[in-house]
Amino acid sequence: EVQLVESGGGLVQPGGSLRLSCAASGFTFSSYEMHWVRQAPGKGLEWVSYISTSGSSIYYADSVKGRFAISRDNAKNSLFLQMNSLRAEDTAVYYCAREDDYGALYFDYWGQGTLVTVSS
Amino acid sequence: NFMLTQPHSVSESPGKTVTISCTRSSGIIASNYVQWYQQRPGSSPTTVIYEDNQRPSGVPDRFSGSIASSSNSASLTISGLKTEDEADYYCQSYDSSNHWVFGGGTKLTVL
């Protein structure tokens, strides 16, 4: 069974940093491209970042570019999101999502999410 | 980059059919696949349609997807509505500038 379990969320002050983790199991993690997607309270879904299987290709939404960094450790089946210079508008549930392996460019499995609250 | 526009909300009675639209603001809707996700309150999204009109295993055939070049839009149709279908639905596609795009979401009420 595919499982994605996020952790690392919490309350942080504006300008602060936080590192999210996503533990993957039930599939060959190193063979799948991965993403972070977020959802502000009461709002819709927003794509945040992508990383290729080897980590050699990385993309970001304009709203987080230069502040967030995605990475992965295939040996530990883990995905990460380092978030710096956090702003109130970064407050959201952050989901780790697996991209399908058929090339349709969509998210076939999602984690349960971890809440990040940016507030003083 | 393009935007995907969905109605904010739709409502229909149990047993009826509802269609949710997703209009692409620029570029051709058929140039990249459209997916649809269902998100029940307090839960993570799950895929109900991928590659415009494909259903993952376990998704009932009451759910169907299509695209229309004339309106540059995609549609999710749910027939034989059940109260369990009440949820938020999001369309999603890929922007060739290496961005993934979501629609704003549609709240489906089954009353």
Side-chain angles (χ1 to χ4, degrees):
Chain A
E1 178 194 6
V2 172
Q3 283 201 320
L4 298 169
V5 179
E6 301 92 338
S7 61
L11 175 63
V12 60
Q13 292 188 339
S17 298
L18 213 54
R19 189 189 194 215
L20 305 183
S21 299
C22 171
S25 61
F27 64 102
T28 305
F29 179 73
S30 59
S31 297
Y32 285 83
E33 295 149 299
M34 299 294 296
H35 298 256
W36 289 98
V37 177
R38 69 184 180 184
Q39 185 170 35
K43 302 297 184 182
L45 301 170
E46 179 188 14
W47 172 76
V48 172
S49 184
Y50 156 95
I51 187 167
S52 62
T53 53
S54 66
S56 59
S57 292
I58 285 173
Y59 308 120
Y60 298 100
D62 294 345
S63 57
V64 306
K65 198 168 188 178
R67 301 186 299 121
F68 289 13
I70 191 172
S71 61
R72 64 190 298 162
D73 184 337
N74 287 339
K76 295 184 177 180
N77 294 333
S78 294
L79 176 71
F80 305 101
L81 186 68
Q82 177 67 43
M83 304 186 296
N84 299 327
S85 302
L86 282 162
R87 306 166 181 167
E89 54 264 36
D90 295 319
T91 295
V93 173
Y94 284 74
Y95 296 101
C96 158
R98 190 183 85 168
E99 186 176 311
D100 80 290
D101 60 353
Y102 295 103
L105 302 168
Y106 79 101
F107 315 105
D108 62 355
Y109 284 94
W110 301 62
Q112 88 289 347
T114 187
L115 176 63
V116 172
T117 303
V118 183
S119 175
S120 54
Chain B
N1 294 9
F2 62 86
M3 294 173 55
L4 296 172
T5 301
Q6 302 179 230
H8 184 257
S9 63
V10 296
S11 61
E12 190 48 271
S13 303
K16 299 291 189 180
T17 297
V18 70
T19 297
I20 300 171
S21 62
C22 170
T23 303
R24 179 168 169 157
S25 62
S26 61
I28 300 170
I29 189 73
S31 61
N32 298 98
Y33 288 124
V34 176
Q35 280 68 231
W36 290 90
Y37 303 94
Q38 177 192 68
Q39 186 178 34
R40 294 190 173 107
S43 297
S44 303
T46 60
T47 310
V48 291
I49 294 290
Y50 68 98
E51 291 184 359
D52 297 339
N53 55 19
Q54 301 299 302
R55 275 178 291 105
S57 59
V59 174
D61 60 6
R62 301 185 296 104
F63 290 80
S64 62
S66 63
I67 62 169
S69 299
S70 57
S71 57
N72 211 38
S73 65
S75 294
L76 172 68
T77 297
I78 310 171
S79 60
L81 275 169
K82 300 184 176 184
T83 54
E84 67 203 47
D85 298 331
E86 190 161 289
D88 293 328
Y89 291 86
Y90 295 90
C91 59
Q92 174 262 315
S93 190
Y94 171 74
D95 185 323
S96 300
S97 63
N98 298 318
H99 283 60
W100 282 254
V101 181
F102 287 97
T106 299
K107 180 178 180 59
L108 169 63
T109 301
V110 182
L111 35 67

